[in-house]
Amino acid sequence: MASSKVPDQMLAAQVTEFKKPYHIHKVDVPKDLQPNDLLIKIAVASLCHTDLNGAGTVVATGSGVKGFEVGDRVMAGSVYHTCCVCADCLGPENYSQSCTRFVGLLGVTMNRFFAEYARIDAAQAAKMPDRVTFETAAPLGCAGRIGERIAIAGSGDGIGLLGVQFAKAVGLNVVGIDLRDEGLELTKSGGADLGVEEVKKVTNGEDIAATVNVSNAAEAIATACAVTKLHEIPSEDADYSQLPDVSIPFHELVFRDILIRGTLMCSPEEARQMLRVVDEHGITVKSIAFNGLGEIEKLVELGKIKGKGIIIIYAEQIAKEKAIGANL
């Protein structure tokens, strides 16, 4: 099923040469949908290490799609067509995104969200609650363990601030760690109980029950290990913009019986649960918005900012969602 208003061509911002600016030009709208595909009209795309995060409105569905209709507002997933037969696909639901036989990774190995339309996998998409806006959902496509306290290293960036809000939503005491004054300011505004440079000064020398590192700083994972209780598991929440090597001092890893867990992205069901938590607890994303693909270079040249950089592709979709009460 498709909307009759879908054009044959669209504007897209693409890198066509190394170390050159984005080239904005017309390309064909991807109308050749597989049975489980959705075609969405992009409302907002979010800048990560590439353009793998986006949210928009469904304008066409593949012949086998169930649970989605034209007009639905969705947050897109990054993985396109897992194999459905490997151990990860057949294992626990939150292993499925680790399939190594997927057809593509949107915005990384395939063109995607810095464009007016995008073809996505319905199995990886999540319907958006009415209160959640496109401007919140798009950055979430990039971006929780219960304990006495949780520390978030890099709490003053876009992903870290989301971590603070999610941890508070499930009732944790949150210690935000950031070396920048502006990062600490943002950490506290997000609801952290403490925003600090040195954890043990504010915990009476006690270690943290769980730690999540979302910082690109070379020493951040070592700091996360150093403040985590013995025998516990700090999480390294990485993306492709992270440093190529993770270095942990021997005494932090071995003498303290620390196990490291790495994670790249959540599963489709975890993404849907995340949107429910956003809706129920009023979580918002601190973002800086640019209007239209013509401002793509301004977006990518932001450097360090308070929050996430987003680009509004179709402003009229944002105007329409206000009518259904979207305000988060």
Side-chain angles (χ1 to χ4, degrees), residues 4-321:
S4 59
K5 299 180 181 179
V6 179
D8 292 328
Q9 289 197 310
M10 64 180 179
L11 288 176
Q14 297 177 314
V15 175
T16 56
E17 295 182 66
F18 287 118
K19 298 182 179 180
K20 296 290 184 180
Y22 278 87
H23 178 50
I24 300 174
H25 57 168
K26 283 193 173 183
V27 298
D28 291 338
V29 174
K31 294 185 178 181
D32 53 332
L33 301 185
Q34 298 297 311
N36 203 40
D37 284 352
L38 300 174
L39 181 65
I40 64 173
K41 186 175 184 178
I42 301 299
V44 176
S46 177
L47 180 67
C48 190
H49 56 279
T50 178
D51 64 332
L52 60 74
N53 308 313
T57 302
V58 176
V59 294
T61 61
S63 60
V65 168
K66 296 180 180 179
F68 292 95
E69 297 178 353
V70 170
D72 285 344
R73 299 162 61 248
V74 299
M75 179 180 73
S78 300
V79 178
Y80 184 72
H81 292 179
T82 59
C83 73
C84 299
V85 296
C86 70
D88 285 321
C89 287
L90 297 178
E93 193 277 336
N94 62 351
Y95 282 16
S96 61
Q97 75 275 15
S98 298
C99 173
T100 58
R101 303 176 187 173
F102 56 72
V103 172
L105 194 61
L106 307 186
V108 180
T109 64
M110 300 174 65
N111 297 331
R112 211 43 63 207
F113 299 115
F114 286 166
E116 294 178 310
Y117 292 85
R119 180 180 55 203
I120 67 173
D121 188 340
Q124 303 290 325
K127 278 188 183 180
M128 293 166 50
D130 287 348
R131 286 206 306 160
V132 179
T133 65
F134 290 121
E135 291 171 273
T136 287
L140 287 175
C142 184
R145 178 179 147 180
I146 304 297
E148 299 165 1
R149 285 193 181 99
I150 185 170
I152 299 176
S155 58
D157 67 11
I159 298 176
L161 181 60
L162 285 171
V164 169
Q165 293 182 82
F166 280 118
K168 291 300 296 181
V170 297
L172 301 182
N173 293 317
V174 182
V175 177
I177 306 172
D178 206 288
L179 297 180
R180 302 166 297 137
D181 288 340
E182 63 271 23
L184 292 175
E185 178 186 342
L186 194 58
T187 295
K188 293 173 183 176
S189 72
D193 297 283
L194 296 165
V196 299
E197 294 183 28
E198 296 182 53
V199 172
K200 293 185 180 181
K201 284 186 178 180
V202 296
T203 61
N204 296 319
E206 296 180 9
D207 292 319
I208 302 294
T211 310
V212 178
N213 176 43
V214 295
S215 172
N216 282 339
E219 67 277 7
I221 185 60
T223 299
C225 291
V227 302
T228 304
K229 285 185 175 181
L230 271 69
H231 320 300
E232 296 294 348
I233 306 176
S235 174
E236 173 77 358
D237 189 351
D239 62 33
Y240 292 100
S241 65
Q242 291 280 2
L243 297 169
D245 299 306
V246 175
S247 179
I248 303 167
F250 182 86
H251 63 276
E252 300 291 1
L253 180 66
V254 177
F255 287 7
R256 305 184 68 251
D257 191 28
I258 291 292
L259 302 174
I260 305 296
R261 176 178 179 177
T263 181
L264 177 61
M265 66 182 74
C266 67
S267 71
E269 183 51 40
E270 287 171 330
R272 294 162 194 145
Q273 181 182 358
M274 174 178 63
L275 285 177
R276 291 193 290 269
V277 172
V278 169
D279 184 31
E280 292 169 5
H281 295 275
I283 292 172
T284 58
V285 176
K286 174 72 174 179
S287 61
I288 296 178
F290 291 85
N291 293 302
L293 290 171
E295 295 197 326
I296 190 72
E297 288 302 319
K298 292 181 182 179
L299 174 67
V300 299
E301 291 173 1
L302 279 178
K304 291 186 177 181
I305 61 170
K306 293 183 179 181
K308 296 287 289 184
I310 62 173
I311 189 159
I312 297 172
I313 308 295
Y314 274 113
E316 69 267 25
Q317 293 189 69
I318 294 174
K320 287 180 180 178
E321 70 179 0

